[in-house]
Amino acid sequence: MTEQKLISLVIDEIIEHKLSHYRMKNKEYKEINTELTQLGSKVQSVLSELSAGKADIINLYIAKHADLADKDCAFLYAQGAKDCVKLLKRLGVL
């Protein structure tokens, strides 16, 4: 395993841990997640009315959108760390 891959795995674990904690504590997140779960059931109902090909296209779109959101999250986490280091250097802390 390359060093970069190992670092990515560590970052992924940190993100998952922090998100899990945030999700348990944040009331607004819980409310939105409940709404999303209810909408998910409705989406599945609508998808069941479509042909298999059309349903597959929508499911693939949703999955790819989620993949992209995961990549955005990882990028923003890493960029936030870099920005923090820059700020600390400018402040003379580092």
Side-chain angles (χ1 to χ4, degrees), residues 19-38:
L19 277 175
S20 176
H21 184 20
Y22 168 76
R23 290 170 179 165
M24 287 188 306
K25 301 284 184 185
N26 188 287
K27 181 180 177 184
E28 183 181 9
Y29 180 90
K30 288 179 182 180
E31 291 170 359
I32 293 170
N33 193 47
T34 299
E35 289 177 42
L36 190 58
T37 301
Q38 293 167 351

Side-chain angles (χ1 to χ4, degrees), residues 4 16 20 45 48 56:
Q4 186 61 37
E16 281 302 315
S20 176
S45 176
S48 70
D56 287 346

Side-chain angles (χ1 to χ4, degrees), residues 55-66:
D56 287 346
I57 290 170
I58 292 172
N59 281 322
L60 182 59
Y61 172 81
I62 292 168
K64 292 295 179 182
H65 196 280

Side-chain angles (χ1 to χ4, degrees), residues 41-85:
S41 296
K42 291 177 183 178
V43 167
Q44 289 305 317
S45 176
V46 169
L47 288 174
S48 70
E49 297 173 9
L50 298 176
S51 69
K54 289 180 180 180
D56 287 346
I57 290 170
I58 292 172
N59 281 322
L60 182 59
Y61 172 81
I62 292 168
K64 292 295 179 182
H65 196 280
D67 289 345
L68 201 54
D70 286 345
K71 292 201 178 305
D72 286 349
C73 182
F75 167 78
L76 290 172
Y77 180 87
Q79 188 60 48
K82 291 174 187 177
D83 292 344
C84 180
V85 170

